[in-house]
């Protein structure tokens, strides 16, 4: 199936419910703004715990958003497979994010195969036109039952 004909399996509401069930420790940190075939927009609700000294959003928080965005993007297409796991990540930090704004992760799945998926994420401070970071992640998808 092509990108245009492959349907979304889990919508924003189903993905949020999944996060509550499987990741209760962090589900409140993230919001899902939009879900489309092979694309998702996820928000990090930036709080004091996400900041580093100097008052900027920390690298681990930005990585977390990129990781969650690709994970949810994959699950939106294949369904609730909790053991889909990150196998590789590369992230480029390009400019200082705004500490007082949410971070927005715009993910596009570049490959969605039976065993591997690759996603690209641009991270933006809400209200900024230029991205603050770019990440590419590869995931391993568990075998089908």
């Amino acid at each position: 199936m092509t990108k245009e004909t492959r349907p979304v399996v889990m919508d924003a509401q189903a993905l949020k419910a999944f996060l509550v069930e499987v990741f209760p420790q962090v589900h409140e940190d993230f919001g899902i703004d939009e879900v489309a075939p092979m694309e998702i927009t996820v928000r990090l609700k930036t709080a004091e715990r996400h900041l580093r000294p100097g008052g900027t959003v920390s690298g681990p928080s930005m990585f977390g958003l990129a990781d969650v965005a690709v994970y949810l993007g994959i699950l939106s297409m294949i369904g609730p497979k909790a053991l889909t796991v990150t196998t590789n990540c590369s992230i480029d930090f390009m400019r200082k994010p705004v500490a007082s704004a949410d971070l927005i992760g715009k993910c596009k799945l570049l490959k969605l195969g039976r065993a591997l998926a690759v996603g690209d994420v641009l991270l933006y401070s809400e209200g900024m036109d230029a991205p603050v970071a770019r990440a590419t992640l590869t995931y391993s998808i568990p075998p089908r039952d």
Side-chain angles (χ1 to χ4, degrees), residues 19 25-33 41-52 56-69 72 93 97-106 121-126 132:
L19 279 181
Q25 66 276 28
V26 297
H27 77 90
E28 291 180 346
D29 285 351
F30 301 99
I32 301 167
D33 291 356
T41 302
V42 179
R43 162 184 309 267
L44 173 67
K45 300 172 187 174
T46 305
E48 183 71 28
R49 68 184 169 278
H50 301 116
L51 304 182
R52 65 181 301 279
T56 188
V57 178
S58 71
S61 294
M62 288 190 277
F63 167 80
L65 174 58
D67 195 36
V68 167
L72 293 177
F93 301 101
V98 177
S100 61
D102 285 353
L103 278 183
I104 309 297
K106 295 186 178 204
V121 184
L122 289 174
L123 302 179
Y124 297 87
S125 284
E126 188 170 39
V132 298

Side-chain angles (χ1 to χ4, degrees), residues 88-117:
N88 189 50
C89 177
S90 174
I91 189 165
D92 297 306
F93 301 101
M94 299 184 288
R95 54 188 52 84
K96 184 177 174 182
V98 177
S100 61
D102 285 353
L103 278 183
I104 309 297
K106 295 186 178 204
C107 170
K108 292 184 187 233
L109 297 179
L110 305 176
K111 173 191 170 45
L112 185 57
R114 290 182 188 261
L116 289 177

Side-chain angles (χ1 to χ4, degrees), residues 1-15:
M1 295 184 129
T2 65
K3 175 181 165 184
E4 293 76 27
T5 61
R6 191 171 187 162
V8 168
V9 175
M10 294 179 76
D11 63 11
Q13 184 177 5
L15 291 167

